[in-house]
Amino acid sequence: MDTVDRAIIRELQQDGRLTNQELADRVRLSPSPCLRRVRRLEESGVIEGYTALVDQSVFGLPVTAFVRIRLERHTAASVEAFEEHVQQIDHIQDCYLMAGSTDYLLRIVVEDLQAYERLVRTRLHAIPGIASIESEFAFGSVKHTRVFPQPVPSRTRTTEGAN
């Protein structure tokens, strides 16, 4: 992946509805090579898909909970069981495997606190092998972006680290 591919990705992350002509203009390519690059990025799985960004509160899911999960055991079977259950719960938007004292960090969106309580009692408690569930609630969002920063080339990181 080169700098032009990264520029294409950033432009599409900012506005996935750009026409090929608009995208080509923004990344300083002619339309045909631009389209070939986009298709290559799609076919290779770098671009996984396109989606609409929706206001969570307006949609009716204003409450965001960040939930730390610790498992009782770390056997392959218990990890697999937990991860399979998580895939079946639509309110869980993100599930990260963590290093440190927490095994997983979940981002859950719900209608209200009562809905969150029902989800914990009926869905999370039903997952075998959970040792603890710790919840924190966001009361606002300072920054939310889907646009990746530009990676710093490795020799620049080495040079900067030497100073």
Side-chain angles (χ1 to χ4, degrees), residues 99-151:
S101 61
T102 298
D103 295 317
Y104 294 92
L105 178 65
L106 311 178
R107 182 175 64 89
I108 298 175
V109 296
V110 291
E111 298 84 348
D112 52 36
L113 292 178
Q114 292 77 22
Y116 179 72
E117 180 182 1
R118 280 191 308 278
L119 183 134
V120 169
R121 289 180 182 269
T122 63
R123 304 297 302 274
L124 292 182
H125 285 167
I127 301 172
I130 293 179
S132 70
I133 300 171
E134 296 180 23
S135 305
E136 295 182 14
F137 297 93
F139 62 88
S141 176
V142 176
K143 181 179 180 180
H144 182 76
T145 183
R146 294 285 185 194
V147 180
F148 295 144
Q150 286 292 358

Side-chain angles (χ1 to χ4, degrees), residues 50-74:
Y50 299 88
T51 189
L53 300 177
V54 178
D55 184 298
Q56 174 182 331
S57 292
V58 174
F59 188 74
L61 299 166
V63 177
T64 299
F66 292 96
V67 181
R68 290 186 302 279
I69 302 287
R70 280 191 320 111
L71 299 180
E72 291 173 344
R73 291 175 298 287
H74 296 94

